[in-house]
Amino acid sequence: MTITQSLLTYLFAAGVLTITPGVDTVMVLRTATLEGPRRAAFAALGIGLGCLVWGALVALGLGALLAASEVAFTGLKWAGAAYLVWLGIGLIREPRTGLDVAGTERAAGATGARDWLRRGLFTNLLNPKVGVFYVTLLPQFVPEGVPVAGYTFLLAVIHVGLGLLWGLALIGAAVPLGRTLKRPAVVRGMDRLTGCVFIAFGARLALTRR
């Protein structure tokens, strides 16, 4: 397999996986619709940074620990599941009744942006499936004769780039809807629905086996 063949095949596979709905998609869509594009962009950036960390760990060989160690996989799996359930319960118990995106962002400033960056980051860092996915998938696209660590990390960077482009597309599609989805009842419903989805993803992660 040549480098060109490797990259083209990987772009197709990574593209399909990127647009497959998951907790990342839910987070970006919900944030763009109810919190505004700026915070959604920071959430997408945090998700991408989480993938980059996993990509670096896998490139260095540390990610293989998750594939080999049941204890490491289980520990990180339960931490990630608990984090998603915690986010979900918070949205269900204390849904908002309305919001002013512009006013909220002016008041919160960088703190609000950092909060969504952190949420996106930890959503991926605490998901061992991302690490196992990289461990099992990326080596299949590494051609012979190239530096394995560097090329593996390059593939992770490509995946992150595709994810950011997809995040921007989601934000662009969701922002117009935000004008009609900011009524109090709708905001409460969106928060509670997102909370249920986060809990469902957390439960699925907790029940995940290798």
Side-chain angles (χ1 to χ4, degrees):
M1 181 170 55
T2 66
I3 293 178
T4 300
Q5 291 172 332
S6 163
L7 291 176
L8 290 177
T9 307
Y10 177 73
L11 280 172
F12 175 77
V16 172
L17 291 168
T18 297
I19 64 176
T20 301
V23 66
D24 296 347
T25 298
V26 173
M27 176 172 286
V28 173
L29 269 177
R30 182 260 181 198
T31 308
T33 303
L34 297 180
E35 302 281 352
R38 182 170 178 269
R39 292 187 179 183
F42 272 93
L45 182 60
I47 291 167
L49 288 175
C51 288
L52 279 182
V53 172
W54 277 118
L57 291 175
V58 171
L60 294 173
L62 300 179
L65 175 66
L66 287 175
S69 172
E70 185 70 28
V71 174
F73 180 87
T74 302
L76 194 56
K77 178 185 74 172
W78 281 106
Y83 181 69
L84 288 175
V85 171
W86 175 74
L87 288 177
I89 291 175
L91 289 170
I92 293 173
R93 291 184 59 187
E94 298 181 1
R96 292 158 304 163
T97 57
L99 70 161
D100 177 2
V101 172
T104 301
E105 290 194 352
R106 283 195 301 269
T111 301
R114 286 196 299 269
D115 180 61
W116 284 106
L117 181 72
R118 175 185 58 78
R119 292 189 186 192
L121 175 65
F122 281 103
T123 295
N124 262 9
L125 285 183
L126 293 175
N127 187 355
K129 292 174 65 177
V130 179
V132 173
F133 164 75
Y134 276 175
V135 168
T136 56
L137 181 72
L138 299 188
Q140 300 180 42
F141 295 92
V142 178
E144 294 183 6
V146 301
V148 175
Y151 197 84
T152 300
F153 186 68
L154 172 64
L155 295 177
V157 171
I158 292 173
H159 181 229
V160 170
L162 292 174
L164 290 176
L165 290 175
W166 178 239
L168 290 176
L170 291 174
I171 292 169
V175 169
L177 294 175
R179 300 189 186 98
T180 58
L181 295 177
K182 292 176 185 175
R183 296 191 296 271
V186 177
V187 173
R188 286 195 300 269
M190 285 286 292
D191 275 1
R192 286 171 174 155
L193 176 61
T194 303
C196 290
V197 171
F198 278 5
I199 291 174
F201 276 117
R204 189 176 71 172
L205 178 59
L207 297 174
T208 295
R209 296 182 178 180
R210 295 171 188 268

